[in-house]
Amino acid sequence: MNNLLQYELESEEDVMALPDWRLQRAFCELRHKQKIEGNTTSEQSWRMKERMKTVSVALVMCLNIGVDPPDILKTQPCAKLECWIDPATLAPPRALEQIGAALQKQYERWQPRARYKQSLDPTVEEVKRLCISLRRNAKDERVLFHYNGHGVPKPTVNGEIWAFNRSYTQYIPLSIYDLQQWMGAPSIYVYDCSCAGQIIESFNEMAAQHEREYELTLANARNQNNQLYNVNQLSPPMYKHCIQLAACAADQILPMNPDLPADLFTSCLTTPIKVALRWFITQNSKKLLPGVTLDILEKIPGQLTDRRTMLGELNWIFTAITDTIAWNVLPHDLFQRLFRQDLLVASLFRNFLLSDRIMRSYNCTPVSSPRLPPTYHHPMWKAWDLAVDLCLSQLPDIFEEDKQVQYRHSSFFSEQLTAFQVWLTLRSRDNNIPEQLPIVLQVLLSQVHRLRALDLLGRFLDLGPWAVHLALSVGIFPYVLKLLQSSARELRPLLVFIWAKILAVDISCQTDLVRESGHKYFLNVLADPFVPSEHRTMAAFVMACIVHNHQAGQEAAMQGSLIAICLEQLNDPNPLLRKWLAICLGLTWNNFETARWCGVRDIAHEKIIPLLSDPVPEVRTAAVYALGTFINSANERTDHANTIDHSIGITLINTVATDGSPLVRRELIVSLQWLVFWFENQFIAVAYQAMEEEKVKDGSRLSPFNQF
C-alpha cells in the first residue's frame, strides 16, 4: 500500500511538472463561468418616508393632593412618591408645583428642545385651551399629552377621563372624543392612572366614530348639487394612527406597594435606569453583597450621558438591549415607526419595554397602541441583569476609602461582539438573523470597540445584499456616515469596504455623502499612494457611485481633483484599479461638459488611450467607455472639440475595432454612436457618396460595352 501511495504521489508530481501546466489558459475567468445576470433593483424601505419630531408636550397632572379619589380604596401604607417627590412633606400647592417641574425636567432629558406646558389640577376648559394652543404651534409635527390621573376617578366606559371644576368641589368628565379634536394628529398619549387601558379602548372607538362622521359628511357634500369645493376643504381624521401608552389594562388598578413610586409607569418611561436598578435590588436582595442596598443607588458615580462612568455605561447597555429586543420582536415597519422616526417616541418605547417587565411583576400589564407583543421574557433581559449585577457588586469596594478601587468597565459589549462573531462563523448552520446587530450599531462610535465592530460589520455586509438591507434597516447608516469624519488611518480599509457594499446595493446614498462632504474621505484614500491598491480600488468604486448620474456629485468630485487623482494612477499594476479608475473618469465627465474640459486640460484622453492595449479585456472596455462619454460630454461643438473627438474616434477604430473581446467591441459600438450623433450630416453625406460610387461601379459592370 505504501509503495502504491508513493507511486501515486510521484505520478502527480510528474504530471504537474509537464510543460502543459505552465501554458496560458483561456476562458477560465469568473466572467466565463458564472451566469450573467442583470442588476436587479428593489425599493429601499430602510429610509423613513417622513421624519417627525415631538415639538410640544402637555403635562396634565390631576393629583388633588390630600384627597383620595372616591372609587379607589388605598392601602395603608401606600405608594406616595410622584416624580420621586413625597407630597406629604410639602404644602399641597407647593408639592404640586414641584412635581410638575420635576416631570418636565424628566421629559427634557429625552427631548430638551420641545415646548413644555404644565396644567396642574386643571379644569376641562384649561385642558382645551392648552391642547388647541400646542397643536396650533406644532402645525404638522407631533404633540405629546401626558395624563396623570392619580387624584381623580377611574376612566369611564363611556370614553371619559376626569378633571376638576374651578373650586375643586367636583370631578368634571373630559370626553376623549373632544380631546382628539383638540389635540389633532399626529399625537402621542401617555396615561398614568388605574384602568388606563380603558382609555385606549375608548380612544379607538372614538377614532372610528370620527371616521364614520367624516365619510357621512363627505357623502352629504357630494349629494348637495355636487358641490365638491366643500369636500376638498375637509381633511380626513388621522386619530387611529396616534400612539398611546397606558400604565395598565382596562380592569387593573395601579400597584400600591409603599416601596414603589405611585407613578411607577411614568418613572419607568422617564427615569428608567433608576427604576431598573431599584427593582433589581428589590427582586434580588438576598443574593446581593451585603453593601448593595437601595440607599447606595443614589451614590452611583457618573452621569447618564458619560459612557466612561458606571451610570453612563449602564444607560448605554440599557439602550442597546431594549433596541435589540425591539428589533428582534417587532415587525420591520412597526420598528421603523416607533424606534427610528422620532427621538422622543423611540426613547419612550425603549423605556416602555422596561415598564412591561417591571409592572408585570406587580400584576399590572402596560398596554400600547399600536399593540406590542410581550417582551418581558426576552432572553436579553438576562444579559441586562448580569451587567447590572456585575456593576453593583463593585460599589462596596468603590466607596471604601482605604481601597481606592477604580470602576471596571462592563464586558457586555465585548461579549456581544463575540456572540456576533460566532454567528458569522457558524452562519451556514443557522438561517436566523443575528440578534446582536443593533448592539454592533451602538458600539460603532465607541473608540474602544469600533475597530472590531467595523470589522465584524464588514464581514456581515459581505454576505450579500440582504445583509446590507438588514444593516440599513436597523439604523446603521447615520453611524457609518459620521465615522467618515474620523482621521484614524486604521479605520480607512474598513470604512471604504463598508461604503462600497452599501453603495453597491443602494446608490441613492450618494446624495447623503455629497451633502455631508463624505466624498472627501474617499478622495483622500484614493490619492494616498501608501494605501494598498485593493483599498484604492474600493475608493474608486465609491467615487464612481457618487458621480453616477448625479451632477452634485460630479461637481464635488471635480472640485476635489478627482480627474487628476485618477489620471495619475492609470498605470497601476492592479488591473482592477485601472478598470475602476477608467470607469470613474467616464462617469465624472458623462453629460458634464465642465469636467470634460478639465480633462482636456490634463490631456486625459491621451492618457487613457494606452489602456486600449491593456492585456485585461475589462480594462480595455472601461477605457473605451471613458472615451465614449468624453465624446458625448461636449455640448458646444467648437473646432477644438471636433478635432479632439475626431482624433479619439480614429484611435478607437484603429485600435479596438478588431479586438478579440466581444465586450470591448460592443462598448466600441456604444461609444462611436456619439460621433454619429454629433456629426450626423457628415456621416449621411459620406454614406450618400459611397452609395453613389457603388451605383457607378455597378452600372459600369453591367454596361454592354464592357463585354468587348
Side-chain angles (χ1 to χ4, degrees), residues 191-194 196-197 245-249 252 254 265 352 359 364-367:
Y191 312 122
D192 191 345
C193 60
S194 294
L245 301 174
C248 58
Q252 293 177 338
L254 293 180
F265 183 63
F352 179 79
M359 298 196 70
C364 273
T365 306
V367 184

Side-chain angles (χ1 to χ4, degrees), residues 61-64 67-69 72 74 81-82 147-153 191-194 247 254 261-266:
M61 311 291 288
C62 298
L63 296 179
N64 200 16
V67 179
D68 292 338
I72 295 179
K74 291 188 177 182
L81 295 182
E82 299 279 356
Y147 174 73
N148 182 322
H150 295 172
V152 292
Y191 312 122
D192 191 345
C193 60
S194 294
L254 293 180
D263 61 345
L264 178 60
F265 183 63
T266 298

Side-chain angles (χ1 to χ4, degrees), residues 316 439-447 449-451 453-454 457 476 479-480 483 498:
W316 185 20
I439 297 175
V440 176
L441 177 148
Q442 286 290 330
V443 299
L444 282 179
L445 300 183
S446 165
Q447 292 188 357
H449 303 287
R450 68 182 180 186
L451 190 62
L454 285 172
L457 176 61
I476 219 135
Y479 290 79
V480 292
L483 281 173
I498 288 170

Side-chain angles (χ1 to χ4, degrees), residues 295-311:
D295 297 333
I296 207 172
L297 291 181
E298 302 298 332
K299 304 176 183 179
I300 293 180
Q303 301 291 328
L304 287 171
T305 55
D306 188 355
R307 297 177 177 178
R308 296 169 298 180
T309 64
M310 178 185 292
L311 198 60

Side-chain angles (χ1 to χ4, degrees), residues 27 612 617-618 620-622 624-625 652-653 655-673:
F27 302 106
L612 297 176
E618 285 89 348
R620 300 198 299 271
T621 307
V624 174
Y625 168 77
L652 285 172
I653 294 173
T655 308
V656 296
T658 58
D659 193 286
S661 170
L663 188 63
V664 176
R665 298 196 302 272
R666 291 183 64 178
E667 192 61 45
L668 174 63
I669 298 299
V670 176
S671 298
L672 292 179
Q673 71 169 323

Side-chain angles (χ1 to χ4, degrees), residues 96-122:
L96 185 61
E97 290 179 4
Q98 289 198 7
I99 291 170
L103 180 60
Q104 178 174 330
K105 188 175 181 181
Q106 290 173 190
Y107 266 109
E108 285 175 344
R109 183 199 177 288
W110 306 105
Q111 179 57 288
R113 297 183 179 181
R115 180 185 183 189
Y116 291 87
K117 290 291 184 180
Q118 301 175 27
S119 188
L120 308 178
D121 286 351

Side-chain angles (χ1 to χ4, degrees), residues 170-344:
Q170 289 181 331
Y171 301 110
I172 307 298
L174 191 160
S175 171
I176 299 296
Y177 182 91
D178 294 336
L179 181 63
Q180 289 175 333
Q181 291 182 313
W182 303 337
M183 285 288 293
S187 299
I188 176 173
Y189 298 82
V190 177
Y191 312 122
D192 191 345
C193 60
S194 294
C195 304
Q198 180 62 55
I199 305 178
I200 291 184
E201 294 178 6
S202 300
F203 189 100
N204 294 335
E205 292 175 2
M206 301 298 181
Q209 181 179 342
H210 277 290
E211 291 187 354
R212 290 192 298 269
E213 292 175 354
Y214 171 77
E215 294 293 338
L216 183 60
T217 304
L218 217 59
N220 292 336
R222 289 195 179 101
N223 293 333
Q224 293 176 1
N225 299 325
N226 292 324
Q227 294 179 356
L228 295 180
Y229 61 89
N230 290 328
V231 178
N232 296 331
Q233 296 175 359
L234 298 174
S235 57
M238 304 295 291
Y239 306 129
K240 68 178 181 180
H241 299 298
C242 291
I243 299 171
Q244 302 174 81
L245 301 174
C248 58
D251 56 349
Q252 293 177 338
I253 303 296
L254 293 180
M256 301 183 188
N257 188 329
D259 296 330
L260 301 174
D263 61 345
L264 178 60
F265 183 63
T266 298
S267 299
C268 288
L269 295 183
T270 57
T271 56
I273 303 302
K274 186 172 184 177
V275 175
L277 295 181
R278 293 176 66 89
W279 183 78
F280 178 81
I281 290 179
T282 303
Q283 297 292 310
N284 302 278
S285 57
K286 297 181 179 180
K287 305 175 185 177
L288 300 176
L289 293 176
V292 180
T293 61
L294 291 175
D295 297 333
I296 207 172
L297 291 181
E298 302 298 332
K299 304 176 183 179
I300 293 180
Q303 301 291 328
L304 287 171
T305 55
D306 188 355
R307 297 177 177 178
R308 296 169 298 180
T309 64
M310 178 185 292
L311 198 60
E313 189 169 45
L314 282 173
N315 184 58
W316 185 20
I317 294 172
F318 175 81
T319 302
I321 285 178
T322 49
D323 235 26
T324 301
I325 293 174
W327 188 70
N328 282 281
V329 171
L330 301 185
H332 172 263
D333 292 341
L334 188 59
F335 175 81
Q336 290 287 321
R337 179 188 172 198
L338 300 182
F339 287 82
R340 292 295 181 262
Q341 188 185 57
D342 184 323
L343 290 177
L344 179 58

